[in-house]
Amino acid sequence: MDEHKVCFIVYHISDVYLEECIKYLNRLIVPEKYSVSLLIVKDESVCRGFNEAMNISDAKYKIYLKDTAFIRKRDFIYSILEIFKEPDIGMIGMLGIEELDNDGVFIHSQRYGGILFNDASLDYKARPVITFDNKYIDVAAIDEFIAVTQYDILWREDIFENEDYCIFSQCGEFKKKGYRIVVPGQGKHAWVINSKNNYFYSEKSRKIFLKEYAEVFNLKTDKLRVLCMYTPGMKFDDISWAFLELGCEPQIMDTDLDMNTESDVINDMYEEIIGSYHPDLLFSYDFIPVFSDVCERIGIPYISWVFDAPQQALSYPAVRNKCNYIFSFDKKQVEQVKKKCAKHVYHLPLGVNTSRLGALIISEEDEKRFSCDVSFVGNNYYDEIYDKLEKIMDADTKAEYNALINEVYNKWDGIDRISEKLSDKCIDRLMDYNRKAFESVDFRMNVKEFFEIRLIAHRAAFLERTEMLRRIAGNDVKFFTKAKNVKIPGVKIYPGIDYASELPKIYHLSRININSTLHTITSGIPLRVFDIMGVGGFVLTNYQPEIEELFIDGVDLAIYRDLDEFEDKVRYYLSHEDERIRIAMNGYKKASTENNLTQRFKLILNTVMNDGCSEMIAKGRTII
């Protein structure tokens, strides 16, 4: 081996790139007593081509690079020789990572070094490069565009057929031999221009790499990789918290996707985005058709936990995808979704992360802003559809649905008084009037359900919530709502608040927290009840059949079945402070011990794993 010889081994991609690459090589300053040579590799297999060139050359120092890499530092050879004075350094790169991400994808880890190429759109999880001025830093692996060695170790042509993971596997081989891999400090002036890069490796190569080198790079490949999808209005950090506690490896993807969006273009885009995370399964609150379609195409389970009833997206064709594992907080909704040929549908009450809420910090400003006798946080459900249709419809149609509103109003006894109660004649007329009042309305869901929600349930909720607040207005009452132009005499109206940072403080500082459930939710317990309990707040809620399965009235919370009972219990619990505090404490204990979010997610994962989807998840994954 000639210790005074440097060999450039260039992998040929195109004649144009190669010509430019050689121009830069010809500009390099060669140290005295050293000689340089050039070998061009044209083999389809990068590893095989590099091995052939390595065996041909007797140079001690070999510089493997793609012809898209242009060495701009003229004294490049001097610099690498200086670093190689340390005999335990086996390889030098221009861009490296200190720790490889568990999915085995280079740019999902923090990168260090110098870089000169457009890096913005390489990958949706790519992190920006950090430059530094130190002599060098030790790294776990280097980027593929250039690798400089002072020892010959065979490239893994036996397992990699093309360029995918070629350099990363070579880093693994050097690490096995005990050699260090380093990246020199280049400051703001990168030593090498990389005009083109390939970060989109085949899934086959990625899995081969993980199998072969997981131990070398200390990768935790036994953890279930869960991609938690955020959409507008559904951004709950408690999701990833729970998955972490269960020993999974959660990733968060924040999107601006509307839950009812349907488009092949959107599906294609999200297939690429979601694929870049290499998840074992996908999770979202509420059912999102796009996520389901993508998971069906790439072959991973999609878990959705529905906390709205009804939800229009559950009427979309995607609900029949085999990848779906749909959990709903409402038993009747479970039966309705099953009738739509959905295979895996389960009932599961909602839960709360008491670990996070237990660390709540209340300031003096918070106490001034949020403390009150009674608070209600939510929508008043004023609906313009009702008012617009009122102006144009005939007396018979108006009489029928108003009679149904009166039948529903102020009754919380577990009886469904809405479903299938409007006549077909009334629905037909409402459809006609609706087209006149509005240019277009998406009736993907059953039209009866649509009018049951928008005309009956929303109108009843508007009347009920207005009346209940009016009745207790003599107390210190605060109504937090995103609704506009709300006026209730004696009630302080505040704008909507942040779910994560402000809402828990309101629930904790209100002596009584009201829950009022839409009549379309026939049995399930809304998330608001669990959120209040999880922060030690006192819950006064309307009756829901499933409450009796989890809680005891007068022990864990308080229940009302009509507005008279509501008014009486507000008056009672404001005047019986000790009893109110004792119930709030019991509710918190019940939430933390029996209705904890982590327990719920454990049940979800166990259900999914035991119900036929284990074949869809990569082998070796574990769940606590």
Side-chain angles (χ1 to χ4, degrees):
M1 193 69 67
D2 192 334
E3 295 189 359
H4 291 84
K5 185 180 286 187
V6 178
C7 181
F8 290 91
I9 301 173
V10 181
Y11 183 72
H12 177 269
I13 294 176
S14 79
D15 292 339
V16 174
Y17 284 127
L18 182 61
E19 181 179 352
E20 189 70 13
C21 177
I22 293 175
K23 284 182 181 179
Y24 277 86
L25 294 181
N26 288 332
R27 295 175 61 250
L28 298 181
I29 301 171
V30 180
E32 187 177 353
K33 297 182 181 181
Y34 280 81
S35 63
V36 298
S37 60
L38 174 66
L39 293 174
I40 309 299
V41 173
K42 294 186 178 182
D43 199 302
E44 289 184 2
S45 168
V46 176
C47 290
R48 183 170 58 231
F50 281 169
N51 277 335
E52 291 177 358
M54 181 183 68
N55 291 327
I56 291 172
S57 174
D58 65 345
K60 177 181 180 180
Y61 305 103
K62 296 181 175 68
I63 301 173
Y64 303 89
L65 69 159
K66 292 184 177 181
D67 61 11
T68 55
F70 310 143
I71 301 176
R72 67 198 293 257
K73 180 179 174 63
R74 296 195 65 196
D75 60 349
F76 182 82
I77 299 175
Y78 282 94
S79 299
I80 64 169
L81 291 174
E82 181 64 27
I83 293 174
F84 277 145
K85 287 180 179 179
E86 299 183 46
D88 61 338
I89 296 178
M91 182 184 291
I92 302 171
M94 296 298 109
L95 195 64
I97 56 172
E98 293 183 314
E99 183 177 5
L100 187 62
D101 189 270
N102 285 328
D103 67 0
V105 178
F106 182 79
I107 57 174
H108 291 176
S109 304
Q110 181 59 64
R111 294 170 291 163
Y112 299 86
I115 188 167
L116 270 181
F117 70 103
N118 183 8
D119 192 43
S121 60
L122 292 177
D123 190 289
Y124 298 97
K125 282 185 64 183
R127 298 183 183 181
V129 174
I130 295 177
T131 59
F132 61 95
D133 295 312
N134 303 31
K135 182 179 179 180
Y136 63 76
I137 62 169
D138 285 85
V139 296
I142 59 174
D143 197 284
E144 62 173 12
F145 60 88
I146 187 168
V148 187
T149 68
Q150 68 167 329
Y151 304 108
D152 287 350
I153 296 177
L154 284 175
W155 297 71
R156 295 299 303 273
E157 63 177 278
D158 57 321
I159 57 175
F160 294 110
E161 299 174 354
N162 50 38
E163 63 182 296
D164 288 2
Y165 283 92
C166 184
I167 184 62
F168 309 133
S169 65
Q170 190 68 349
C171 292
E173 294 302 314
F174 270 75
K175 287 171 69 69
K176 286 180 182 179
K177 298 289 185 180
Y179 292 120
R180 294 162 60 200
I181 305 168
V182 303
V183 169
Q186 301 155 67
K188 301 297 182 181
H189 304 286
W191 293 5
V192 179
I193 301 171
N194 185 26
S195 57
K196 185 179 181 181
N197 216 331
N198 171 37
Y199 282 121
F200 298 101
Y201 306 123
S202 72
E203 187 66 6
K204 177 183 177 182
S205 296
R206 189 184 72 87
K207 290 180 177 178
I208 291 173
F209 174 80
L210 290 177
K211 181 180 179 181
E212 189 74 22
Y213 294 100
E215 185 175 348
V216 176
F217 288 97
N218 298 316
L219 304 181
K220 299 175 182 178
T221 58
D222 61 329
K223 289 191 173 185
L224 196 69
R225 294 179 61 82
V226 182
L227 183 54
C228 306
M229 306 300 291
Y230 286 5
T231 57
M234 292 183 288
K235 302 181 180 182
F236 304 116
D237 290 336
D238 290 337
I239 302 172
S240 55
W241 185 308
F243 281 125
L244 277 171
E245 287 191 333
L246 290 172
C248 300
E249 185 179 349
Q251 301 283 326
I252 295 173
M253 180 177 163
D254 199 349
T255 79
D256 58 358
L257 186 70
D258 180 88
M259 70 172 63
N260 297 316
T261 301
E262 278 191 309
S263 165
D264 290 338
V265 174
I266 295 294
N267 284 1
D268 291 342
M269 180 181 71
Y270 273 93
E271 181 173 352
E272 183 177 339
I273 297 173
I274 289 170
S276 72
Y277 285 79
H278 305 288
D280 291 310
L281 59 84
L282 206 72
F283 175 87
S284 76
Y285 275 117
D286 277 346
F287 181 77
I288 316 294
V290 169
F291 299 159
S292 175
D293 285 337
V294 169
C295 289
E296 186 78 356
R297 288 159 65 170
I298 65 178
I300 62 172
Y302 170 48
I303 300 173
S304 59
W305 195 0
V306 181
F307 65 93
D308 286 324
Q311 189 198 344
Q312 177 169 303
L314 290 171
S315 299
Y316 285 35
V319 79
R320 296 190 291 272
N321 288 336
K322 295 179 181 179
C323 67
N324 295 332
Y325 290 82
I326 302 171
F327 295 81
S328 173
F329 77 115
D330 187 90
K331 288 183 176 180
K332 183 176 180 181
Q333 187 177 59
V334 170
E335 298 307 314
Q336 291 171 337
V337 177
K338 284 182 177 179
K339 291 178 182 178
K340 296 170 183 174
C341 299
K343 184 178 180 181
H344 306 289
V345 190
Y346 313 89
H347 171 250
L348 184 68
L350 298 167
V352 63
N353 182 1
T354 51
S355 298
R356 174 179 64 84
L357 294 176
L360 190 66
I361 298 175
I362 303 292
S363 67
E364 291 184 9
E365 182 180 348
D366 292 329
E367 291 185 355
K368 293 177 183 178
R369 183 180 175 193
F370 299 130
S371 295
C372 60
D373 290 336
V374 186
S375 73
F376 178 60
V377 183
N379 198 341
N380 75 337
Y381 282 107
Y382 169 76
D383 200 327
E384 65 175 6
I385 285 183
Y386 180 91
D387 289 343
K388 287 188 176 183
L389 293 181
E390 280 270 285
K391 296 176 181 178
I392 61 175
M393 67 178 55
D394 65 277
D396 290 342
T397 305
K398 187 185 302 184
E400 182 172 343
Y401 76 71
N402 277 329
L404 185 52
I405 290 173
N406 291 332
E407 174 63 20
V408 169
Y409 175 78
N410 191 26
K411 299 181 181 70
W412 291 281
D413 53 12
I415 298 174
D416 181 6
R417 292 181 168 83
I418 292 183
S419 300
E420 301 296 326
K421 296 299 190 296
L422 289 174
S423 68
D424 291 339
K425 181 179 180 181
C426 181
I427 292 295
D428 290 340
R429 288 182 176 178
L430 288 172
M431 285 283 289
D432 291 337
Y433 292 131
N434 201 66
R435 292 190 186 97
K436 294 176 183 178
F438 302 93
E439 293 183 0
S440 64
V441 174
D442 185 0
F443 285 107
R444 291 297 299 272
M445 69 188 305
N446 181 281
V447 292
K448 279 193 175 184
E449 287 185 3
F450 176 82
F451 286 114
E452 288 165 2
I453 299 168
R454 295 300 295 271
L455 287 184
I456 311 303
H458 283 196
R459 187 61 177 180
F462 168 70
L463 296 173
E464 289 164 348
R465 295 180 179 192
T466 302
E467 175 63 11
M468 68 169 49
L469 291 174
R470 186 197 65 78
R471 287 193 181 200
I472 60 172
N475 303 288
D476 180 14
V477 181
K478 294 182 178 180
F479 180 21
F480 297 88
T481 181
K482 293 180 180 180
K484 305 297 183 182
N485 302 319
V486 179
K487 293 182 179 180
I488 304 174
V491 176
K492 300 171 185 176
I493 312 297
Y494 295 86
I497 39 79
D498 181 73
Y499 177 86
S501 63
E502 297 177 312
L503 188 60
K505 296 177 181 179
I506 296 170
Y507 289 157
H508 182 76
L509 293 170
S510 302
R511 295 173 68 194
I512 294 177
N513 295 278
I514 302 172
N515 175 62
S516 177
T517 308
L518 278 175
H519 290 284
T520 48
I521 302 174
T522 55
S523 66
I525 308 172
L527 183 60
R528 183 189 291 112
V529 172
F530 295 95
D531 283 343
I532 296 169
M533 284 185 166
V535 77
F538 176 87
V539 180
L540 177 58
T541 178
N542 63 277
Y543 173 78
Q544 291 287 107
E546 292 183 39
I547 288 179
E548 294 178 328
E549 300 175 15
L550 301 180
F551 306 112
I552 301 173
D553 184 20
V555 175
D556 307 309
L557 43 61
I559 294 173
Y560 63 89
R561 291 169 175 77
D562 56 42
L563 290 173
D564 289 340
E565 187 177 11
F566 164 80
E567 189 176 0
D568 289 342
K569 288 197 172 180
V570 168
R571 187 183 305 109
Y572 178 84
Y573 285 111
L574 287 179
S575 60
H576 291 75
E577 188 74 0
D578 291 344
E579 186 174 351
R580 182 190 63 79
I581 292 174
R582 184 170 60 253
I583 291 173
M585 291 178 63
N586 288 338
Y588 175 78
K589 291 177 183 177
K590 188 69 71 74
S592 60
T593 58
E594 299 178 23
N595 299 277
N596 189 280
L597 197 62
T598 301
Q599 296 171 336
R600 295 283 198 261
F601 274 104
K602 183 177 181 180
L603 181 59
I604 286 175
L605 290 178
N606 286 334
T607 300
V608 172
M609 293 295 290
N610 294 328
D611 198 20
C613 93
S614 56
E615 294 180 0
M616 300 176 71
I617 296 177
K619 293 181 179 179
R621 299 294 196 259
T622 59
I623 301 174
I624 292 177

